[in-house]
Amino acid sequence: MDEAGGQRKLELQELEEIRNDAYENSKIYKEKAKAFHNRIISRKEFNIGQKVLLFHSKLKLFPGKLRSRWIGPFIVTNVFPHGAVEIKSPTTQKVFKVNGHRLKPFYEDFQGPSMERIQLMEPTIT
């Protein structure tokens, strides 16, 4: 009986060691996955006075076919640590505090490729 009890204690210790190894391996995997994910994320930095667009999350639930999910432009009034940004609407003068992940820069004077105008003529029916 004593021999069986000693054997059982050894088995329990082995099981505990296997559990600890699995826990450590899981912890190492999560750290590597987090480091990989953080490397892929593009960092956005906003300056006071910069124009930005705000992601309209309600349109994510009920998207229109050709509706843009970005509203704005808004003007950045304050940048807080940890990604919070305070923005102001130029039309209503309301001030919002939003997560910086919901913002993207607004490029005001974007000049696309030049296109020439083509005049269409009425077709003649003969």
Side-chain angles (χ1 to χ4, degrees):
M1 202 59 158
D2 290 338
E3 197 173 306
Q7 184 68 24
R8 181 69 178 154
K9 283 184 181 179
L10 286 175
E11 289 175 356
L12 288 174
Q13 285 178 348
E14 286 180 25
L15 183 63
E16 190 67 28
E17 287 178 15
I18 292 171
R19 253 191 219 130
N20 287 339
D21 289 342
Y23 178 75
E24 287 296 320
N25 289 339
S26 171
K27 188 174 179 182
I28 291 169
Y29 171 77
K30 287 180 182 178
E31 287 173 358
K32 285 183 180 179
K34 184 176 180 180
F36 176 76
H37 178 73
N38 288 342
R39 227 177 341 143
I40 300 298
I41 293 176
S42 62
R43 303 282 180 220
K44 296 182 214 170
E45 293 187 15
F46 300 105
N47 302 318
I48 296 174
Q50 180 181 5
K51 290 188 176 183
V52 294
L53 295 174
L54 176 65
F55 183 74
H56 194 236
S57 56
K58 288 184 181 179
L59 287 178
K60 188 175 183 182
L61 299 175
F62 306 106
K65 205 172 210 182
L66 298 175
R67 290 190 65 175
S68 175
R69 294 182 181 173
W70 297 91
I71 56 174
F74 295 94
I75 299 171
V76 176
T77 58
N78 198 356
V79 179
F80 298 99
H82 306 295
V85 178
E86 189 174 83
I87 58 175
K88 179 176 80 170
S89 173
T91 55
T92 62
Q93 301 299 322
K94 287 189 177 182
V95 177
F96 305 94
K97 188 186 280 189
V98 296
N99 189 342
H101 292 287
R102 295 181 58 202
L103 298 175
K104 73 176 180 180
F106 175 71
Y107 300 110
E108 196 165 5
D109 294 329
F110 178 71
Q111 296 294 328
S114 61
M115 296 183 167
E116 60 185 67
R117 290 189 173 268
I118 300 174
Q119 294 293 333
L120 300 176
M121 299 171 60
E122 289 289 326
T124 56
I125 302 174
T126 57

